[in-house]
Amino acid sequence: MTAPSEDIPMTATVEDIPPSTRETGPGTPRLAVEDLRIVMPATRRRPEADVVDEVSFTVQPGRVLGLVGESGSGKTTVALALLGLVKRGLAIGGGKVLIDGRDILALSEHDLQKVRGRSVAYVPQDPGSALNPVLKVGTQLREVFAVHGGDADRLTQVMAEAGLEDPAPILASYPHQLSGGQQQRVALAMAFACRPQLIVLDEPTTGLDVTTQRRVLDTVRGLCHTYQVAAVYISHDLSVVAEIADHVAVMYAGRLIEIGAASELFATPAHPYTRGLMRAIPLMATSHELHGMAGAPPRPGNRPAGCSFRPRCEFAIAECESGEPQPVVVSDTGHAARCVRATEITALSGTALLARDRTVPAAAEPVLTISRVSVSYTNKPVLRDVNLDVGARKSVAIVGTSGSGKTTLARCVVGLHKDWTGTITFAGSQLPPGVRGRTPDQLRKIQFVAQNPYASLNPRQTIGQIIGNPLTHFTKLPARERDKRIGDVLTSVALRESFAARYPDELSGGERQRVALARALVVDPELLVCDEITSALDVSVQAAIVELLLRLQAERGLALLFITHNLPLVRSIADDVTVISAGQICEHGPVTQVLTAPKEAYTRQLIADVPSFEQTG
Amino acid sequence: MTTATEATERVGPTSKAARPHPIRDLVIKRSLIGILTLVLVSILIFAATQTLPGNAASAVLLNTATPQRLHALEVQLGLTRPAVEQYWTWLTGVLHGNFGKSLANGQPVSTLIGGRILNSLVLVVLAGAIGTLIGVGLGVLAAARRDSVFDHVLSVTSLGVTALPEFVVAVVLVIFFAAVVIHWFPAVSVFAPGTPPWSNPRELVLPVATLVIVVVPYVFRMMRASMIDALESDYVQMAQLKGVPKWRVLLFHALPNAIAPTIQVIGLTFLYLAGGVVVVEYLFNYPGLGQALVGAVSDRDIPQIQAIVLVLAAFYIAVNILTDVIALAVSPRRRLPRS
Amino acid sequence: MARRPEVIAVLGRAVRTPRGTAGLVIAGLVVLVAVIGPAVAPYSATEFVTAPFARASSVAWLGGDVLGRDVLSRTLDGGWQLLAMAAVATALGVVVGAVLGVMAAYYGGLWDSLIMRAVDVILAFPQLVFALLLVSILGPKIWLIVLAVAISHAPQVARVTRSAALDISERDFVKAMQILGIPGRRIIRRDVLPNLTSVLMVEIGLRLTYSMLVIAGLSFLGFGLQPPAASWGLMINENRVGLIANPWGVLMPAILIALFTIGVNTFTDAVARASLGVGGRATEPEPIALVAREVTG
Amino acid sequence: MTFSRRDFLKAGLAGSLAVGAGGLLSACGTGNTIKAFTTSTAGKPRYGGTLRAGLTGGSTADTLDPISAITNVDFSRIDNLYEPLIGLTPDAQPMYVLAEEVTPNAKATEWTIRVKQGITFHNGKTLTADDVIYTFQQILNPKTPGSAAAGLASVDAKAMTKLDAYTARIPCSTPFATFAEALAIPGYSDIIPVGFDLAAPAGTGPFKVKSFSPGTQSTFVRYDGYWQSGLPYLDEIVITDYSDQTSQVNALLAGQVDVVNLLSADVISEVQGEGKNILLSAGGGWNPFTMRVDTGTFSDVRIRQAMRLVVDRQQMLDLVFGGFGTVGNDLFGIWAPEYDHSLPQRHQDIDQARSLLKAAGAEDLHVTLVTSDIAQGTVLAAQVFAQQASQAGVTVNVEDVTVDEFYGTNYLKWQFAQDYWFYNFYLPQVSLATLPTASFNETHWDNSRYNSLYAQAIATTDTSLSIELAHEMQQIEYNEGGYIIPFFPPVIDGFGANVGGLVPSKSGLSLGAYDFKNVWLS
């Protein structure tokens, strides 16, 4: 697993910082978490509810443990507990966090301060908001030394190690003046400043594009290896964890449901949830049907009896209901899972992914033709001379890093963005730039689904009214007929008709995106433009939405224009793919050809940087 | 749940010269708009005072106003000239710094209200500064000890006090500290015209105290809210996780961020004071602009009304510009645009 | 429109909070006194029953006012007019302000700068001074006081609504409607306005408090309601002379005004907190932050 | 003459609580008496010291020009800077001041005035007849007529001649027997030197101007060259303007000022409770209700008589002025020798009022009474009148307008309103208010018999004849007049225990008509 060379000094000189005060004998783990329990304290209205319970794991020096779980699984709560921090409204219910044998949960506030940043360090998820906006980067970095000791040349050295070559201008600027990658490297420098024994990384590369993410991951691995630092890497993205972690622990609804060596766990998952996750993640290698999981994880405080995953588990049996399943060890390397049928599931052959047969439809006459479209914003070019065709019933993906202009292109097609040059023809006739000039028919046939499900539905209207809006606008159907159409489209997006009376804030992210889809489909469009519609969702929810979208495309013969930065997803969803970079199309063609044998260097680099767990071990 | 933020790859901060100077531009732009507003305000007042049934002449002559005397005085004061001409002579006068003569006693308006501007300014600045300091201080403490008894007590009392009219506060203060219970402070200010207000500080205590009591709740509630926002932010959590001691987190990380939104409120309190001062000056017989305005309005002394309201409006615009400049200076994100 | 009207939902939630109930009870009591007062007053508001500023006695429970009239009867009789004036001024100010604010936000461009410049001009001098000027020039007539207070409210409300409406007009669900080519007016009515209800409700609360303060302030300076009207504002002004002999002539109306404003203030605070639940805003900004723009009284 | 320009800010807020101060003495005897009015405890007169006066009623429109003085507070300065030919004694009777002799010819068409010798102005110039003539020319200047112009209308300003250095002959176009009385009225004959310059005002009074900023403060110092030797006692006077009675009373009680003017009856107990003194004068000023007799409802004399019978004069005095002041009998000039005390005192008689109204076909009468805060107690009196009138079935709608609107274009045209006059002798007051040619005839009173009686009285120098004529005039007014004069309000001032020499004055001006030359500080 050779990452492209990065000019990071692999062999660092021995440091002048004395190793951690307590000499640890071989075998005692650098970090040991025993039966950690974190709760929402009881209040007048409701009893105490556990957010995280019965979590135990160990990490050896120089080793990286990946802590994986979807949103609401409690992984961030555990991460913060490793530094003795609990968010407002939560409290430590029990258990120990031993760093080199010393339980930091028992420390006083004063002693805890000495430990944080010194023996255990934290790398935040979104460095943009974790760095203080009103203080210069230099001040915030030097503050670590001011609190824990260390000097100037120490600073330049640690910045170099974090990959910040020319420190002076960076130290002098404010956080908002740096790029995402630079901000994250500053956070890394801050974390490694005092050579901590343990480092906790909370989804550090989520906000970064693939290439930067690759470089940051290499840096982290290099530093951990060099300084024999134990690391806990929290993420919702299995492929990223596969790249970096030696061991993996999977969290679900506040419980540690599976733990084991990374290679073994990914090869033969022992818990149905892990297995489900594996089947939901799109792969670069093959295009396979993404296997979503219906329902959602239980909220703290209303956990079903027995195994919390039972309601969504396809392997559930009566015994699952009797009580919390205890960890079952399935191999001599310590691979274990909290599932009564764990051994049975490990024996299943791999994840049995169903290959998707992309019957490439005939080269039908294009529904949408974009020719020579250029856009510039205050004399800076955003799109330069873009040409693109979307065939009827075809699914075309546009892939590019953020700022590449892919969203602007989508906005031009749907008329949100007015000042562009060039021509866009739809179903034979030319589209005027803005919404105002377009015929009702054109407006009806092109529909748009936005990225953030939480902002695309009017919180003050019921689901029925939201879906009804386009209907009342485009058709003069009587109310009864309209309600029937709404009921039908709700069932077609796998939501019960009773949802029509509910309000957006009562729905989950996935359900809201389905409502947005229903609103787009209720007026029978011909072209559906989706702008990163799954990037705001958990991978299991994303899988369900993608499958739904493809099923609807097939049933209704829709043309699909799918904008995303997630390359593996393109593999599973699109017929053709267009790679766009800095406003220009740099490669276009069928997915099978572009993603396996890319012609352009940029595409090749892009594909190489995509983390995936096929290559583990 | 992760969102794909627009994290673009970019080079470090561009050189200083290339970047436009945001503060200078803001001040120039706002001052021009300010001047335009001032002219509009003066036209508005002139029009308003034209519509009144009585006029300066009847206000001066009162019941000795026989028709002949009324007419004679009106001619003498130039009230019989067409409104537009009156306004134009007044405007050109102002451009040359001459605010015209008072209709009531013929003295130049500038001498009449000159001293008073200083007096009112002292009151407003003193009350504003003290009110802000107390408001910010209490706001930080309440936020630091959120949901404690201290926090709840302060929040509820601040809710109550914001509802009290100024004169109720003033009356209570006078009864307790000046006239009845204890005679610590003079109930009234009697310093002679020309002498600066600080010549007898004890006379300033009650008027300033009244304004401070009325202003502190606003600053307190805003400061507490923005401090709570700051304390719940990612950068404060990061600071804690860096092992930074509690007091340092509060003062170096949370406070600088909480100040920016509060500056708007602090700016607004100074404007509030400019209005609130009228009642206080009236009750404490404090020779300020507010008192002069009430008098000028009753005497229909248009030039004096114009001058005072222009001074108030200019003060308003200046405070607004100053607030925005400080807000800009305090938040680098707005001052130094990304690219 | 939404079956579960936003206003009812937020008010329902606000009333359940301790702060909400306390505020409602206090304000409610004062309104009750003002409304049923005239009916239960022992004497007529203008009848001479005792000596001027006579102490509280069996004849007059709260003693006499400047002309020896019964302070209790005048207090009971003098409330509803002041409350009505404050309510009308608030309603007028909020409606005009909201319409201007939303128009400025949604249509932007010329509309926006035009309205905002006008707002600056009126805001150029503090509320009390503005009201003082208008009332004292054109005489203290009731309709004029209401108009003056309403005019001084409108710009503040316009500014707050504009910033809230701007925030909403940027949201995706408004864009989703625009893409369909739905006309601006309908989008404002169905999408923007309903989402402003929580901001507007907070505004109404604050404006009502300021109306009472300004009207009370005006009457204190002698520009408020005039003699024939037996109103709290006038009583405060008329009886200040005899505060020593019989304090009730001033204290009773002042206490009722203060109680009303405290009640409304606390209830508005509860409404602001309750409205945060709807619309998914995670952080708990202090309601004053919601309306940081206008503090000027 | 109005009382104070800015009275509508009048209702002051008395700040201090006098422990144990009982309610006010009132005629219906609620029993709680107040301390007898203490004469000052300041002992024997003593030279020196600065008198600090806190006066309300001032504004930026105040003036040091005696010719155009109008408000009560103007006189506080003018009475100390200038002196009249003839002044008023504390009992409001005329007395020579600058004049040695003022005598008319037989037909009262020509007056000779001789001034005392050796009197100097502040600018060193000695007082001569030229100054007297110059003063009257200023008062009667058509372009800028002075406040007294209306009262001295019949003086022929152009024909005035100087007989010798100290005597002047003043011819009158029409007989003017009451010229001497008219001169005694405050502001009618304050003599200014020839070439008088308002920037550097010079008069013959006991004090000179040191500084004057209208609406805030003015200071005056002792004039050593004052012609009455041994006076004044004080070195300096500092007059500070107060916006309302509350701050004024607070200042007095806190010892920040020595004397205060224009107090309302409600604060008497408080002031005395804190050990300060009250100066109570039975003022001659009067606050009439004016009914227009020429048109509208009040043209019917029966309705006018009914309106006069509706008023309970004593109750109005009790409620508005705490029982102080003098009950009125619908006639003015109460201290004047011509005042007819023999006319029966009119009392409230609701039944007769109702029968008069019934006879006039006005049982359910609706009228609008226009009032304004032009003097202390005016608006309150209007409210009391409305309440009392309702007992006779008359609904009075009280409309309170701003002061400048009251004196604006509608002044002297109101159907039913109020007004305020300082004290004036009977005949001069008639010439100002109840003659068809009068400048301020609010009631538009024009009675031929009444006019001819006046013409005779003004032409005779025989005082007993003029008194007899005046009595018949008052008989007519008493029966058919347009004025309702229920009371003559008291003048209530306050002063510290250290102030001596203050004597109540019946002229209606505060603080003993501001005669500070006799005041001293212990």
Side-chain angles (χ1 to χ4, degrees), chain A residues 129 132 143 148 176-177, chain B residues 10 147 234 242 253 257 336:
Chain A
S129 60
N132 194 320
E143 187 177 33
H148 294 301
H176 71 279
Q177 292 174 299
Chain B
R10 238 189 17 70
D147 291 342
D234 288 352
K242 280 200 297 197
H253 284 275
N257 282 282
L336 304 167

Side-chain angles (χ1 to χ4, degrees), chain C residues 46-48 51-53 66-67 69 139-140 221 223 226-228 237-238 240-241 243-244, chain D residues 9 11-14 16-18 244-245 264 266 270 315 319 379-380 383-384 387 398 400:
Chain C
T46 53
E47 208 181 329
F48 307 121
F53 295 114
V66 62
L67 284 175
R69 293 168 296 203
L221 289 173
F223 294 101
Q226 289 315 307
N237 181 16
E238 201 171 46
R240 284 183 328 171
V241 165
L243 183 69
I244 290 55
Chain D
L9 295 184
L13 170 89
S16 58
L17 276 177
D244 87 326
Q245 178 179 276
S264 68
D266 319 293
E270 173 203 348
Q315 182 189 45
L319 296 178
V379 176
L380 292 179
Q383 291 180 45
V384 173
Q387 176 61 21
V398 176
D400 183 351

Side-chain angles (χ1 to χ4, degrees), chain D residues 28-228:
Chain D
C28 38
T30 47
N32 33 26
T33 59
I34 54 166
K35 282 204 292 278
F37 294 106
T38 47
T39 53
S40 81
T41 56
K44 281 201 336 351
R46 201 176 58 73
Y47 282 98
T50 303
L51 178 74
R52 296 163 304 165
L55 308 180
T56 48
S59 83
T60 44
D62 293 355
T63 177
L64 291 184
D65 174 8
I67 305 293
S68 57
I70 291 170
T71 65
N72 176 308
V73 144
D74 284 336
F75 289 111
S76 68
R77 303 179 184 98
I78 279 144
D79 287 359
N80 292 295
L81 286 183
Y82 312 97
E83 286 173 315
L85 294 173
I86 300 176
L88 284 180
T89 65
D91 294 337
Q93 297 313 322
M95 70 173 180
Y96 284 129
V97 178
L98 292 184
E100 216 166 47
E101 192 203 338
V102 176
T103 47
N105 62 2
K107 292 199 297 315
T109 53
E110 193 181 87
W111 290 79
T112 17
I113 301 176
R114 197 171 69 257
V115 290
K116 291 175 180 149
Q117 296 180 359
I119 296 180
T120 56
F121 287 95
H122 297 161
N123 58 12
K125 200 174 144 318
T126 50
L127 172 67
T128 65
D130 298 326
D131 306 314
V132 174
I133 291 171
Y134 176 78
T135 304
F136 284 119
Q137 279 166 352
Q138 292 310 317
I139 292 177
L140 297 167
N141 169 354
K143 280 213 304 314
T144 54
S147 308
L152 304 173
S154 54
V155 166
D156 181 353
K158 287 191 225 29
M160 289 192 285
T161 56
K162 195 176 83 167
L163 301 180
D164 65 34
Y166 295 97
T167 0
R169 178 181 301 117
I170 313 290
C172 302
S173 45
T174 59
F176 194 9
T178 58
F179 180 65
E181 279 182 343
L183 293 181
I185 295 307
Y188 267 63
S189 62
D190 289 326
I191 299 305
I192 48 174
V194 176
F196 172 78
D197 171 10
L198 191 54
T204 61
F207 293 91
K208 293 188 295 186
V209 177
K210 178 178 163 197
S211 80
F212 173 61
S213 80
T216 17
Q217 200 171 69
S218 40
T219 48
F220 306 87
V221 288
R222 194 175 196 285
Y223 172 46
D224 297 335
Y226 184 51
W227 60 282
Q228 295 190 36

Side-chain angles (χ1 to χ4, degrees), chain B residues 59-84:
Chain B
V60 167
L61 294 176
L62 292 174
N63 81 334
T64 61
T66 56
Q68 310 92 336
R69 275 195 88 190
L70 202 62
H71 182 65
L73 189 56
E74 275 168 356
V75 168
Q76 187 198 339
L77 297 174
L79 297 176
T80 47
R81 286 177 304 152
V84 176

Side-chain angles (χ1 to χ4, degrees), chain A residues 590-615:
Chain A
V591 165
T592 48
Q593 186 243 326
V594 169
L595 292 189
T596 48
K599 285 204 276 309
E600 296 300 327
Y602 178 81
T603 325
R604 207 176 300 113
Q605 175 67 47
L606 215 57
I607 292 170
D609 290 339
V610 169
S612 75
F613 45 85
E614 292 137 317
Q615 299 149 331

Side-chain angles (χ1 to χ4, degrees), chain D residues 329-409:
Chain D
N329 201 16
D330 302 336
L331 293 167
F332 47 75
I334 188 159
W335 316 124
E338 298 91 348
Y339 188 81
D340 183 354
H341 292 281
S342 68
L343 287 170
Q345 170 60 45
R346 186 164 282 144
H347 291 295
Q348 183 182 49
D349 185 343
I350 297 293
D351 306 338
Q352 204 201 341
R354 278 190 187 280
S355 63
L356 278 168
L357 287 170
K358 203 153 151 331
E363 281 86 351
D364 169 21
L365 184 63
H366 281 261
V367 288
T368 304
L369 168 60
V370 175
T371 181
S372 178
D373 206 357
I374 50 175
Q376 203 162 10
T378 310
V379 176
L380 292 179
Q383 291 180 45
V384 173
F385 180 85
Q387 176 61 21
Q388 290 173 348
S390 64
Q391 294 157 23
V394 174
T395 340
V396 177
N397 160 25
V398 176
E399 194 192 330
D400 183 351
V401 294
T402 60
V403 171
D404 71 288
E405 189 180 343
F406 185 85
Y407 288 120
T409 45

